[in-house]
Structures are given as structure tokens and as C-alpha cells.
Amino acid sequence: MKSALALLKKDFSSEIRTRYAINSLGMFIVVTVSVILFSIGNEKINEYLTGGLFWVVVFFTSMSGLSRAFVSEEERGTALTLQLLAKPESIYSGKFLFNVALVFSMNLIIAVLFSLLFEMFLFKNLLLFVFAFIVGNVGVAASSTIIAAIIAKAGSKGTLYPVLAFPILLPLILTLIELTKQAMDGNTVSDSSVELAVLFCYDVIMISAAYLLFDFIWKD
Amino acid sequence: MAWKIFLFVLMTLVCIAGITFPIVEEPSKWYHFPLIPGLEENAKIIFFHVPTSWITVIAFLMSTLYSVRYLRKKDLDDDSKAYTAAQLGMIFCILATVTGAVWAKFAWGSFWSWDPRQTSIFALLLIYGALFALRSAVDGEEKRATLSSVYSIIAFVTVPFFIFIMPRIMKGLHPGSADDTNAGPIVDFKMNSNMQVVFYLSLIAFTILYYWMWNVGYRSHIVKEKLQKQIS
């Protein structure tokens, strides 16, 4: 756990030094949202569509940003050193925590932008959306971290990342879109407890599977 | 040899029974199928469509089991077995999707309507596609085997969501959906006994056929790998 936190700290300081993720992901979000705005034009879109578009933007931003966790190690040639210094479990935890932080900050920006730019992006029950948002972000981070590790070992093929991650993230995203609709309709948390339970199960299953399998990817 | 003849007889029987046995309103003879309101002649898809999707999942399960075995024992033969199972699964997955879509045009009015089960078969297609994309992207057979094993295990843990959870909590058109009034086990819904017999025979026949194809497939794959090593 200690080495996981050290790894997290190292990633943070290297992030603050280069500001790669902050700059490029911030711009990516702005570009994607403005493409959506241009394509909508003066059209009046209904609220369910904004909910769906929100998760589309989240998916593509994650796909462009989260693969860096392991790809950057391979690019800088530091993967071998990391292999010597820390246990695979703590490496996965460190990268996972960093990606959780990244996903949360990214999605908060997207959510704020959406609520500013789309007047239909309104929730009758904000609490349910917040729950779904938190549990969903952890799920996105968990599965994209393990896929990022696979990609880094497969020779950092950037186009492969969304291809591999999409089927894994699909149950999560479908449930999240469903929950977003329900939050817009004003369902209470207990009304949507089944969907929240599905999300929670997904998180637990993904994190434990990733912990078990990371060992095999990481050791060459 | 005997079981190949058995398979031939079984498959012929299923095809003849599934296609030619008449559907009548009041079954009186042993070969009569009951009329299911709303489905009529379309009901016969169950003898061919359900086994193909069943094989899709079985093939995926086998691919995952052999992936687990590969990760434990690092034996490349297990990887060949997993790969062949995935290849066959892809073929049956396409068959299930196409038969389902053609049937849906006549029974539900459109080729594709994003029913939860259609979504899940689509996701399975994507998973198989991603698996082959990953395999072709990695050089070095041990690395390829490890990475694709890990990916197929990760993909497999999401399959219960597609097959068991989503179709039951979401509204859909397939039997067994959340808003289905005659909810219950999908198989025995409104089928009479002879329909069930043909259905189960069809499942058995398809499973044997799959097993045979897989057996031939993985052995030829192993031989091919060995020959390639000898040449280089």
C-alpha cells in the first residue's frame, strides 16, 4: 500500500511537471463538446439525448487519456525499473488510484460544461445521478487501467485501446445511461437500487479480476 | 466413427423435424407442433437460432477455460485450443446474429431493434472481434498467448451482465425479459413435449458438431504452428 501511494505521488508530480493530461484532456473535452454543439446547431434536443451524449463524451475522453498510465512507462523505458522496485499489486493500485483521480476530475469538468451548455441537462433527483457518477467513474477507471496495461505490453497500439475497452465498458455504460435517464425522471435511490447494485457488482468484479490478472500481464 | 454417424443421423432428424413438421392449432398426432399465438410458423426458429447462440456462449466459456489453463501451465497447446474455440464462437455468433435479424424482420417488423439480447450478442461479436484484433497486433507467440488469455478472461467476467442481468432488468422482446408476462425459464415457454424433444436434440446435435469442429480445428492449428517453427 505504501509503494502504491508512492507511485501515485510520483505520477502526480510527473503530471504537474509536464501537464500533459491536464492540457491535452482539457482541450479534448472542449473540442468534443464543441463538435456536439456545432452538430446540434439550433436544434432542440430532448433531455435523454443529453444524458446519452454525456456518457459518449466521457467514454471517448477516457479512451484518449487513460491509456497513458502504462504507455508512458513503456515509452520512457521505466517499466523495467518499476518491475524491480514494486510488487505488481501495488503498481496496479497506484495506477488505478491515479486513473480514478483523473477520471473524477475529467468527468466533473464534463458535467459542469454540460450543465452550463445544455439547458436540458437537468436532474430531478441529483442524488441518484451523483451516486451513479461516483460508482460509474470507479468502474471506468478499473477496467481502463487493466486494458491500458494490456495495450502497453502489446506495443502501445493507440487505435486498439477503444476497440478492446468498449466491449468491457459496455455493460457499465448501458447501465449508466439507464440510471441517468431515471435520475432525469426523478426516480428515488431505492427505485433504482437494482441498477445501482449492477454498477456496484461491476466495480467489484472488475477490480478483483484486474488484481488477479495484472500479475500475468506485468511479468514478461 | 460411430459418433460421426450418430451426429449425421441426429442432425438430419433435427433438420427434417424442425423444418417439415406442421404447426397446427390442436396437436393430435405425435409430429404436430402447437400453434403459439403471435409466432405461428416463425416459432420454428428456436430449433436453429437458440443452439447457435448457445454454442456462442459455450465456445466463449471453453476459450476462457483454456486461457486460464494457459496462464497456469504456460503450455502453448492450450492457447491453440482457446484460439480455435474463439474462432468457432465467432462463426456461431455471426450465425446467431444473422438468423436472429432475419427472423426479427418477419416477427417483430425490423432487422434490428436493440432488444437487450440483441445488444448482448452484438457485444459478444465485439469481444470476439477485439480478441482477434489484439492477437494480430502482438508479435511473439508467448506474449500474444498471455495477453489474449488475460483479455478473454476479463471479457468473460462481463458476459454474465450481458446474458443474465441486462436482458432481465431491461424491457425487451425476447422471452424472459423484464416486461414479459409469461416470464420463467425460456425453454419450456409454451412448447409442447415433442417440440421440446426436437429442441433438446438440436442442442445436443449442435454441441457435438461444435466439439468435432473444435477438435479438428485445434489439432490442425497445433500442427501448423509446429511446421512453422520447423521452417524458420
Side-chain angles (χ1 to χ4, degrees):
Chain A
M1 200 62 219
K2 212 172 154 195
S3 45
L5 288 177
L7 190 67
L8 181 66
K9 216 174 122 194
K10 175 227 126 200
D11 272 341
F12 260 116
S13 50
S14 89
E15 176 53 47
I16 286 165
R17 212 171 292 154
T18 57
R19 290 190 206 87
Y20 170 84
I22 300 170
N23 286 335
S24 59
L25 286 183
M27 283 316 288
F28 190 91
I29 293 169
V30 172
V31 169
T32 325
V33 173
S34 47
V35 167
I36 290 174
L37 282 177
F38 287 138
S39 59
I40 290 170
N42 290 327
E43 213 70 41
K44 196 114 176 85
I45 60 171
N46 73 4
E47 49 182 357
Y48 291 161
L49 195 57
T50 59
L53 282 173
F54 174 76
W55 291 108
V56 170
V57 175
V58 166
F59 173 73
F60 280 105
T61 323
S62 316
M63 286 307 97
S64 69
L66 297 185
S67 68
R68 259 188 66 78
F70 289 100
V71 172
S72 65
E73 301 285 352
E74 296 282 334
E75 274 173 359
R76 286 182 299 207
T78 46
L80 278 176
T81 330
L82 213 58
Q83 226 171 57
L84 286 174
L85 283 175
K87 277 190 281 183
E89 296 86 46
S90 46
I91 293 172
Y92 179 77
S93 334
K95 294 291 185 190
F96 171 59
L97 288 177
F98 182 71
N99 271 354
V100 167
L102 201 61
V103 170
F104 263 98
S105 44
M106 233 166 56
N107 292 1
L108 263 183
I109 298 172
I110 300 174
V112 170
L113 271 180
F114 260 69
S115 48
L116 286 178
L117 295 169
F118 298 100
E119 57 213 53
M120 297 308 289
F121 194 67
L122 272 181
F123 296 98
K124 288 209 186 91
N125 183 358
L126 194 63
L127 187 69
L128 180 62
F129 179 71
V130 171
F131 270 137
F133 185 77
I134 292 170
V135 186
N137 284 352
V138 175
V140 169
S143 30
S144 20
T145 312
I146 188 77
I147 303 289
I150 295 180
I151 291 296
K153 289 290 172 191
S156 315
K157 305 250 178 357
T159 40
L160 208 55
Y161 191 45
V163 173
L164 292 189
F166 182 67
I168 311 288
L169 285 175
L170 197 58
L172 183 73
I173 289 184
L174 286 178
T175 322
L176 281 171
I177 290 174
E178 192 69 29
L179 269 174
T180 313
K181 268 186 204 166
Q182 289 176 356
M184 283 168 165
D185 288 339
N187 277 19
T188 58
V189 175
S190 56
D191 283 344
S192 312
S193 58
V194 177
E195 277 83 0
L196 281 174
V198 169
L199 277 192
F200 193 71
C201 288
Y202 180 90
D203 284 12
V204 172
I205 290 173
M206 251 2 210
I207 292 172
S208 35
Y211 262 99
L212 289 174
L213 293 167
F214 184 69
D215 215 20
F216 296 107
I217 309 172
W218 191 240
K219 276 192 209 139
D220 270 325
Chain B
M1 194 60 207
W3 61 273
K4 283 177 194 167
I5 295 167
F6 173 68
L7 174 66
F8 176 75
V9 172
L10 205 60
M11 216 53 179
T12 320
L13 202 81
V14 166
C15 287
I16 293 173
I19 293 171
T20 59
F21 280 11
I23 288 185
V24 291
E25 264 177 64
E26 268 163 31
S28 50
K29 300 243 171 54
W30 61 272
Y31 53 81
H32 281 170
F33 289 150
L35 187 101
I36 299 169
L39 286 178
E40 284 110 36
E41 290 285 324
N42 293 338
K44 284 178 175 176
I45 187 158
I46 196 164
F47 303 125
F48 304 102
H49 172 70
V50 178
T52 46
S53 36
W54 153 260
I55 293 299
T56 310
V57 179
I58 288 291
F60 198 14
L61 177 71
M62 268 176 82
S63 173
T64 311
L65 286 180
Y66 278 106
S67 298
V68 172
R69 236 175 82 163
Y70 172 76
L71 288 181
R72 288 171 71 104
K73 297 193 178 146
K74 300 282 175 190
D75 180 5
L76 277 173
D77 286 0
D78 284 334
D79 180 58
S80 299
K81 289 176 188 173
Y83 177 57
T84 316
Q87 273 181 325
L88 287 173
M90 178 98 176
I91 295 170
F92 280 99
C93 191
I94 293 171
L95 280 176
T97 317
V98 172
T99 51
V102 172
W103 183 83
K105 178 70 183 166
F106 295 99
W108 300 336
S110 67
F111 284 114
W112 204 262
S113 44
W114 293 115
D115 167 81
R117 268 183 208 281
Q118 288 181 326
T119 313
S120 31
I121 201 91
F122 178 67
L124 271 178
L125 261 182
L126 284 181
I127 289 174
Y128 279 127
L131 197 61
F132 294 124
L134 178 65
R135 285 190 76 94
S136 60
V138 187
D139 321 309
E141 50 187 6
E142 267 165 32
K143 202 183 212 180
R144 186 199 304 146
T146 312
L147 291 182
S148 61
S149 301
V150 169
Y151 184 73
S152 69
I153 295 168
I154 293 178
F156 188 75
V157 298
T158 65
V159 165
F161 286 96
F162 289 123
I163 295 177
F164 299 114
I165 298 175
M166 312 276 276
R168 284 182 176 71
I169 62 170
M170 285 179 175
K171 289 195 170 87
L173 301 158
H174 272 88
S177 302
D179 56 344
D180 190 5
T181 44
N182 43 46
I186 296 164
V187 174
D188 54 48
F189 114 101
K190 286 179 185 167
M191 289 206 288
N192 74 350
S193 55
N194 59 2
M195 216 169 171
Q196 277 183 20
V197 167
V198 176
F199 172 69
Y200 285 118
L201 281 183
S202 171
L203 269 187
I204 294 168
F206 269 89
T207 313
I208 297 175
L209 179 70
Y210 159 75
Y211 184 77
W212 184 18
M213 286 168 88
W214 172 75
N215 211 349
V216 172
Y218 88 77
R219 277 184 297 165
S220 77
H221 191 258
I222 291 172
V223 170
K224 209 160 54 184
E225 298 273 295
K226 275 188 187 144
L227 278 178
Q228 234 156 26
K229 260 183 221 158
Q230 274 176 3
I231 291 166
S232 57

